[in-house]
Amino acid sequence: MDRVVVFDTTLRDGEQAAGGMLNMGEKLDIARQLESLGVDVIEAGFPASSPGDFEAVKLIGREIKGSVICGLSHANPKAIDRAWDALKKVKNPRIHIFLSASEIHLSYQLNKTRDEVLTLAREMVARAKTYLDDVEFSPMDASRTDPEYLCKIVEAVIDAGATTVNIPDTVGYSIPGEFGGLINTLVTKVPNMDRALLSVHCHDDLGLAVANSLEALKYGARQVECTINGIGERAGNASLEEIVMALKTRKDMMGLDTRINTKQIYKTSRLVSELTGFVVQPNKAIVGANAFRHQSGIHQDGVIKRAITYEIMDPRTVGIPSSSLVLGKLSGRHAFRQRLAELGYALSEEDLDRAFASFKEVADKKKEVTDRDLETIVAHEIHAVSETYHLNHVEISCGNNSIPTATVRLIREDGQIFADAALGTGPVDAIYRAINRIVEVPNRMTEFTVNSVTEGIDAVGEVLIRIESDGVTYTGRGADTDIIVASAKAYMNALNRLMSVERKDHP
Ligand code: MN
């Protein structure tokens, strides 16, 4: 078999990463995009871990028909029952059970003997099998597990009915030759290995997640677990786009295919970055802003003469928009809709109206509106949260010899208007203080980032902030040609999220 099953865990391992909290609508948007990307399996969450995860798995399972929908579960009966509860109406469901296997985990965390773990693994797979056929099992910390014992567990769970066995390098400790060797051991020593699909799940603590995954494929693994932009616990997971493009570009060496529609890669990467707030580093392979940008004169000369001189992949293969500039302030609604369609966005009339209004606002201030600007505008309009307070007016006075002063006016959803002013150590501080005087929701800011969406002095600035309240993190985003205004929008966005969650919890 020369096809690799792509298992995406952006919504589980990726979301688990600190601060990556996504709301239900955002998870569904990502799941829909993963389906268009052609992901075989979507790990949608961990139903027993929280009511939010339970609902997310259920909702994604109801909406997405083109991919297998997987729910993660501890190796305990209640968690498995709960996973099944979330998955029972799904067209193609999978339960993924994990249980520690390494000596380190057994003695310091689980307090169980090897025999007890072996029995539990077998029983839990058998329990899941009473509900559905598609059951995956992961011996956690497999790369630090005694290979002989690992073979025994794998054999036992396949015997109990596991259809996929996943070998995780949970702590990102393995190096390629070693990890490939481990896969080879399993393929050659486990007598019933041919009855299950062998999978790997690699972490990037040593920057080797993709290399380890490819090495495992070389020795017979046929499922890779990965995430968009490589997000995930700590240093993250193996990146989907890197694995897929390595297989495609070096088919001569690997001889393996995936079902991924690579033209959707760039859009998926942008969406995940936008919604999680995890910025993609410019030099990131495949999807970074500089991944296809040639700086050296010799390289530029070569690429102009013949792209193949310095380009191993055509940027269009991963769906990077080819034209960099199309629209300006004279562009009409039709051209706007057309360009969005070319970028892969099909908006409802209502979203289009709002996005077009924002576009006109930007185009008034900025001569050239690029594709990146458009994507930012669209992302902010279609992922808008319901607003408890709307930012109606913000005014700032600051400078080297003045005390930063902000005046804000907010409109509450019932139509009541509030205005206030505050001093701060800087303009952003002053705005936040003025807003706080009106909204009065205690919170602590944990992150503040300003990014320029495009080049040039008139670029749109995008502000990302995270605030924390009662141990929960809320992400807010705002974009504007004025970064102070963008900061105010981002803060309102985070506050509105916080308030909408609080309202659901305490109606
Ligand atoms: Mn993981």
Side-chain angles (χ1 to χ4, degrees):
M1 175 180 152
D2 55 10
R3 194 167 83 74
V4 175
V5 173
V6 176
F7 176 115
D8 180 279
T9 184
T10 303
L11 292 171
R12 204 277 301 164
D13 213 324
E15 219 257 344
Q16 205 168 302
M21 208 194 80
L22 299 166
N23 67 31
M24 208 71 80
E26 293 168 332
K27 285 184 185 177
L28 188 58
D29 282 343
I30 291 177
R32 286 208 174 100
Q33 182 54 34
L34 291 172
E35 187 187 29
S36 313
L37 180 65
V39 160
D40 297 286
V41 186
I42 297 173
E43 189 162 53
F46 187 168
S49 72
S50 74
D53 257 43
F54 179 88
E55 288 303 326
V57 173
K58 204 167 146 182
L59 177 70
I60 291 168
R62 203 175 59 205
E63 299 287 322
I64 307 292
K65 310 280 181 215
S67 309
V68 171
I69 303 300
C70 175
L72 184 70
S73 175
H74 307 106
N76 86 48
K78 267 193 191 148
I80 290 170
D81 297 352
R82 185 91 176 130
W84 175 242
D85 233 9
L87 288 165
K88 60 188 171 195
K89 298 225 170 92
V90 174
K91 188 173 160 222
N92 296 305
R94 173 182 294 186
I95 291 181
H96 176 192
I97 303 166
F98 71 96
L99 178 59
S100 285
S102 70
E103 213 51 53
I104 300 172
H105 283 206
L106 261 56
S107 44
Y108 297 117
Q109 199 180 16
L110 272 191
N111 261 323
K112 281 190 181 1
T113 66
R114 287 184 174 195
D115 282 342
E116 284 168 339
V117 165
L118 196 69
T119 309
L120 185 61
R122 192 197 295 271
E123 285 174 3
M124 292 306 108
V125 169
R127 186 180 188 97
K129 274 308 255 200
T130 62
Y131 294 129
L132 77 177
D133 187 55
D134 191 346
V135 176
E136 173 168 335
F137 181 85
S138 288
M140 187 152 67
D141 204 16
S143 53
R144 293 192 299 172
T145 301
D146 166 20
E148 215 168 290
Y149 177 59
L150 188 65
C151 286
K152 270 196 193 162
I153 295 192
V154 171
E155 186 183 350
V157 295
I158 295 174
D159 195 46
T163 43
T164 300
V165 177
N166 176 52
I167 304 303
D169 183 19
T170 307
V171 291
Y173 180 70
S174 237
I175 57 172
E178 177 193 28
F179 197 60
L182 179 65
I183 297 304
N184 191 40
T185 302
L186 292 165
V187 169
T188 52
K189 298 243 170 85
V190 175
N192 54 2
M193 196 63 245
D194 59 325
R195 281 167 43 201
L197 189 70
L198 189 54
S199 165
V200 290
H201 175 114
C202 297
H203 275 274
D204 212 27
D205 298 70
L206 295 173
L208 295 169
V210 170
N212 283 334
S213 305
L214 293 177
E215 194 71 3
L217 292 176
K218 203 161 102 189
Y219 287 96
R222 282 297 176 269
Q223 173 179 287
V224 279
E225 301 198 356
C226 44
T227 61
I228 302 300
N229 300 336
I231 64 171
E233 277 283 342
R234 307 183 309 278
N237 290 62
S239 127
L240 180 144
E241 59 278 8
E242 292 176 22
I243 291 178
V244 167
M245 290 312 291
L247 291 179
K248 191 175 167 82
T249 309
R250 297 312 309 274
K251 179 128 193 249
D252 60 323
M253 288 297 288
M254 305 290 296
L256 297 170
D257 281 314
T258 67
R259 203 171 65 91
I260 297 296
N261 173 6
T262 59
K263 290 211 159 82
Q264 293 287 331
I265 285 179
Y266 179 73
K267 190 177 161 200
T268 316
S269 164
R270 291 289 309 147
L271 179 71
V272 168
S273 166
E274 185 70 45
L275 295 184
T276 56
F278 290 129
V279 175
V280 175
Q281 81 207 51
N283 57 313
K284 165 83 173 61
I286 318 294
V287 292
N290 293 346
F292 294 94
R293 191 176 282 175
H294 303 273
Q295 287 292 358
S296 130
I298 296 176
H299 289 207
Q300 286 177 351
D301 176 64
V303 169
I304 290 165
K305 286 178 176 149
R306 201 77 191 267
I308 197 176
T309 49
Y310 293 93
E311 238 171 46
I312 60 165
M313 294 170 275
D314 182 339
R316 285 168 298 187
T317 328
V318 293
I320 294 181
S322 53
S323 77
S324 53
L325 152 82
V326 271
L327 302 178
K329 70 175 180 182
L330 296 175
S331 306
R333 198 182 140 96
H334 182 74
F336 178 71
R337 185 210 292 266
Q338 184 77 30
R339 188 62 202 146
L340 286 182
E342 282 162 22
L343 292 172
Y345 294 97
L347 302 193
S348 68
E349 285 304 312
E350 193 188 324
D351 283 341
L352 188 74
D353 283 343
R354 277 195 312 210
F356 187 63
S358 308
F359 159 73
K360 279 291 182 189
E361 237 172 76
V362 171
D364 261 345
K365 298 177 194 156
K366 196 169 180 287
K367 209 163 66 213
E368 303 172 341
V369 182
T370 65
D371 290 344
R372 286 296 312 278
D373 292 328
L374 286 182
E375 284 176 335
T376 307
I377 291 167
V378 171
H380 285 268
E381 288 310 326
I382 56 181
H383 303 297
V385 282
S386 69
E387 292 188 304
T388 310
Y389 286 93
H390 176 74
L391 179 71
N392 171 258
H393 173 95
V394 53
E395 194 180 318
I396 276 286
S397 130
C398 62
N400 65 343
N401 281 317
S402 72
I403 299 170
T405 311
T407 310
V408 297
R409 187 164 62 221
L410 308 184
I411 303 177
R412 202 165 61 187
E413 54 190 343
D414 59 7
Q416 207 176 330
I417 296 171
F418 298 84
D420 214 323
L423 308 178
T425 49
V428 174
D429 182 45
I431 289 178
Y432 285 28
R433 283 173 192 273
I435 292 173
N436 283 345
R437 287 171 67 99
I438 299 171
V439 176
E440 293 184 310
V441 175
N443 70 79
R444 192 171 66 85
M445 191 181 310
T446 54
E447 196 180 327
F448 177 88
T449 334
V450 187
N451 249 295
S452 137
V453 174
T454 41
E455 293 119 57
I457 198 77
D458 60 352
V460 170
E462 188 175 31
V463 172
L464 174 124
I465 78 145
R466 292 187 215 275
I467 58 176
E468 203 186 280
S469 172
D470 279 336
V472 182
T473 302
Y474 301 88
T475 305
R477 287 174 289 265
D480 199 279
T481 48
D482 181 327
I483 57 166
I484 302 297
V485 175
S487 307
K489 286 182 181 171
Y491 187 44
M492 289 310 299
N493 184 240
L495 280 176
N496 279 317
R497 275 164 197 268
L498 190 163
M499 287 183 280
S500 83
V501 168
E502 276 192 342
R503 236 185 337 194
K504 260 179 237 154
D505 291 350
H506 317 280

